[in-house]
Amino acid sequence: MRLQNKVAIITGSATGIGQGIAARFASEGAMVVVDYVGKPGTADQTLNLIKQAGGKAIAIESDVSNPVQVQQMIDGTIKAFGKLDIFVNNAGIEYKHPFTEFPLEQVQKIIAVNLIGPFLCCQAAARQMIKQGNGGRLINISSVHEDLPMPTNAAYCATKGALRMLTRTIAVELAAHQITVNNIGPGAIFTPIDADVEANPDLEKALMAEIPLGRWGKPQDIAGMATFLASEDGAYCTGATFFVDGGMMRQAGSL
Ligand code: NAD
């Protein structure tokens, strides 16, 4: 058990990569807060996975782009578990359009969730960790697209590129408090966010050709890296991006 008695919040963990991280953290002994948006019951699948495996978790509804709800999530965590050790910014969205046709309201929504969200969450989590005085871990789920361009996905790529510099900057600022800040850059992970590619065999074939290991990644692949960064083994890592991408960053381009 690498996260025994640690308390972790994972945003957007009702599905996909966040669900994989929440389940893995709980199996490593952490008490987990499953953040979600949507109807009551949205987080039940993740909660049941954790509880059936003997882990501890609660669900808190919080839109990461809303500062009041973000603070309520931190307060709810302290009320339930008494402290906060690890915060994973996983929530993210994407809409794809040719650049010249990208609707402004969708650009603003992507920025609100993918950039303002991690900014607010890192800020609120860091304030709590500084108050506790024992350091902490901030882990941001970025993307290979913090570096790699992706045509028709300009707003998403811009937010992930910005997340790279947010992480580098606050890692230096928070180091004095023994709070580490790192990004994980997933490649193509089989989750609901990639529904358009998963549903199109030609697109999927072209994507697989860009991945040296020749397969989709799984949420568990990302959860392994998140566990490393959250555990004692990751204590000396800060301000970096760790790509988990089947070698995709070493190829020429991206879909
Ligand atoms: P997903 O759609 O399953 O997960 C995203 C989650 O974020 C959903 O549960 C959604 O409800 C939640 N969410 C959306 N808006 C929110 C908000 N305002 N507040 C709180 N939660 C919100 O997709 P995923 O692939 O698991 O994506 C998780 C993260 O991984 C995202 O940041 C995404 O950019 C990143 N990522 C995914 C891939 C991939 O191939 N799947 C690749 C690179 C990066």
Side-chain angles (χ1 to χ4, degrees):
M1 295 262 203
R2 298 162 79 185
L3 303 177
Q4 194 76 55
N5 298 325
K6 298 290 183 192
V7 177
I9 298 175
I10 299 109
T11 66
S13 51
T15 59
I17 291 172
Q19 182 178 75
I21 295 172
R24 175 70 190 271
F25 277 14
S27 77
E28 296 283 355
M31 291 160 271
V32 167
V33 174
V34 177
D35 160 66
Y36 71 99
V37 285
K39 295 190 203 113
T42 298
D44 282 359
Q45 199 186 38
T46 307
L47 288 181
N48 291 338
L49 262 176
I50 292 173
K51 286 180 183 163
Q52 278 159 17
K56 270 196 197 152
I58 59 166
I60 297 183
E61 181 182 8
S62 170
D63 175 343
V64 296
S65 65
N66 179 322
V68 174
Q69 290 183 25
V70 168
Q71 190 55 48
Q72 284 167 348
M73 170 166 60
I74 305 279
D75 294 345
T77 302
I78 303 307
K79 194 165 169 223
F81 297 128
K83 61 175 184 154
L84 174 65
D85 301 299
I86 304 157
F87 196 105
V88 181
N89 279 298
N90 166 77
I93 56 171
E94 67 180 358
Y95 308 117
K96 293 178 189 157
H97 299 284
F99 176 60
T100 50
E101 290 157 32
F102 221 114
L104 177 61
E105 67 277 10
Q106 289 193 9
V107 178
Q108 286 167 330
K109 177 75 182 164
I110 291 170
I111 291 172
V113 177
N114 295 9
L115 180 58
I116 308 281
F119 193 104
L120 292 173
C121 288
C122 283
Q123 200 174 42
R127 284 179 184 142
Q128 177 61 34
M129 289 168 180
I130 290 168
K131 197 155 63 175
Q132 292 170 187
N134 295 315
R137 303 290 164 86
L138 303 178
I139 300 168
N140 301 319
I141 307 303
S142 172
S143 169
V144 288
H145 298 299
E146 71 166 50
D147 262 337
L148 282 183
M150 184 178 191
T152 75
N153 215 357
Y156 179 86
C157 293
T159 58
K160 296 299 186 178
L163 191 53
R164 175 170 74 165
M165 284 314 297
L166 176 67
T167 290
R168 291 180 181 192
T169 306
I170 66 175
V172 175
E173 232 178 296
L174 296 174
H177 302 283
Q178 298 302 315
I179 298 170
T180 66
V181 194
N182 290 289
N183 280 7
I184 298 176
I189 312 298
F190 198 86
T191 74
I193 213 170
D194 286 322
D196 57 338
V197 184
E198 290 156 17
N200 181 332
D202 290 340
L203 217 52
E204 189 175 35
K205 200 169 158 212
L207 175 64
M208 290 306 121
E210 292 191 345
I211 303 171
L213 288 181
R215 66 162 175 91
W216 288 96
K218 301 186 285 283
Q220 291 82 347
D221 294 318
I222 308 304
M225 178 58 80
T227 302
F228 167 77
L229 290 171
S231 75
E232 264 318 293
D233 289 336
Y236 201 53
C237 301
T238 199
T241 295
F242 296 83
F243 291 106
V244 181
D245 66 349
M248 199 177 186
M249 288 291 290
R250 301 282 78 85
Q251 293 288 76
S254 175
L255 269 183

